[in-house]
Amino acid sequence: FTRRVPNQRPEQCPRSHRANASVGKDENDDHDRKGGNSHDLDCTMGYRRGMNVLTVGDGDFSFSLAVARLVVRSKNTSKGTHPPGMVVATSYEDSQTLRKVYPDFDNTLKTLNSHGKDKIVIGYNVDATRLDDTLPKQQLIQSKKQSKSKMRFHRICWNFPCSAIDSGQDGQNDAMEENKELVRKFVANALPYLDEECGEIHLAHKTKPPYNQWG
């Protein structure tokens, strides 16, 4: 793929320009830019105001919170025809486990939810390879006030995907094929949820072996 499409900074990628156009420009953008808030309006790493984003495998939801700060419009700028932006933040674990593992989990969750109940959906026990079965569909329907058809996302993100190993030594060579299959299943499950015009799957991982051999 990279031989046919050269690597570019996200904000320079033609796909980002299409995404910017599809989510629209808020009438308050010029006002905010004059007020010195241009960093909130520009495309940052492929994200901007008005996008719908699904995060999977987020541990303490701190990444989801960072995304929400980029894509969710404030109450003052979400009126009219411009999309308000939305984050569906999910974790493979249940809430009790996350509270045990991450001491600051409740504070992060509270800050994330403060962006608005209609703009933030939280999902627990969400399996990235079984999105149809494990996504919080009822909350999505209520939040978007739409039919039961699949919601579409501009970005679907999974940082450091890896199969769970009891010993904690995840991602080693003996689990390479298992992790390859994990990524394949995730991509296959995510594709039907992507926006047809500008949807992208974002995977972040280490660039050293064996992780860079999972492709």
Side-chain angles (χ1 to χ4, degrees):
F1 175 78
T2 55
R3 292 178 180 177
R4 290 180 287 132
V5 181
N7 288 327
Q8 292 177 310
R9 291 184 58 83
E11 65 271 18
Q12 296 172 332
C13 179
R15 290 173 299 174
S16 293
H17 297 316
R18 292 198 300 270
N20 294 345
S22 71
V23 297
K25 181 181 178 182
D26 198 290
E27 62 184 359
N28 293 295
D29 282 0
D30 292 335
H31 172 74
D32 288 344
R33 189 180 299 278
K34 291 177 182 178
N37 295 324
S38 60
H39 65 284
D40 288 334
L41 307 170
D42 296 335
C43 184
T44 302
M45 296 299 291
Y47 299 85
R48 67 159 294 150
R49 295 277 187 248
M51 283 185 168
N52 293 335
V53 179
L54 168 63
T55 65
V56 300
D58 198 358
D60 61 354
F61 290 148
S62 58
F63 175 75
S64 299
L65 175 58
V67 170
R69 287 169 172 163
L70 290 174
V71 304
V72 174
R73 298 184 192 274
S74 67
K75 294 180 179 179
N76 294 332
T77 60
S78 61
K79 299 178 181 179
T81 60
H82 298 290
M86 182 180 186
V87 174
V88 179
T90 72
S91 175
Y92 185 69
E93 306 292 347
D94 57 40
S95 58
Q96 291 82 2
T97 300
L98 295 177
R99 286 187 173 88
K100 291 178 182 178
V101 175
Y102 303 103
D104 206 36
F105 172 74
D106 282 317
N107 289 333
T108 303
L109 184 62
K110 180 179 179 181
T111 306
L112 181 58
N113 281 323
S114 69
H115 285 81
K117 292 183 179 180
D118 59 332
K119 301 172 185 176
I120 302 295
V121 173
I122 305 297
Y124 302 102
N125 299 122
V126 173
D127 187 338
T129 66
R130 296 172 52 244
L131 294 178
D132 272 346
D133 297 327
T134 58
L135 277 176
K137 290 186 177 61
Q138 190 58 40
Q139 291 93 319
L140 287 176
I141 294 170
Q142 292 174 352
S143 178
K144 299 301 290 182
K145 298 180 176 61
Q146 62 181 21
S147 67
K148 294 183 179 181
S149 60
K150 277 187 174 64
M151 181 177 178
R152 301 286 180 164
F153 297 94
H154 299 101
R155 302 288 183 265
I156 299 178
C157 317
W158 192 3
N159 292 328
F160 309 109
C162 196
S163 58
I165 304 296
D166 292 338
S167 64
Q169 298 295 318
D170 53 6
Q172 302 307 303
N173 284 325
D174 56 357
M176 183 180 297
E177 292 306 317
E178 181 180 354
N179 281 297
K180 285 182 178 181
E181 186 63 16
L182 176 72
V183 173
R184 292 190 194 104
K185 287 183 177 180
F186 162 62
V187 172
N189 272 257
L191 285 176
Y193 288 91
L194 282 179
D195 181 88
E196 294 180 356
E197 182 179 355
C198 60
E200 294 181 6
I201 295 174
H202 288 192
L203 282 172
H205 224 309
K206 300 175 183 177
T207 57
K208 65 179 183 179
Y211 306 98
N212 64 347
Q213 299 169 349
W214 289 6

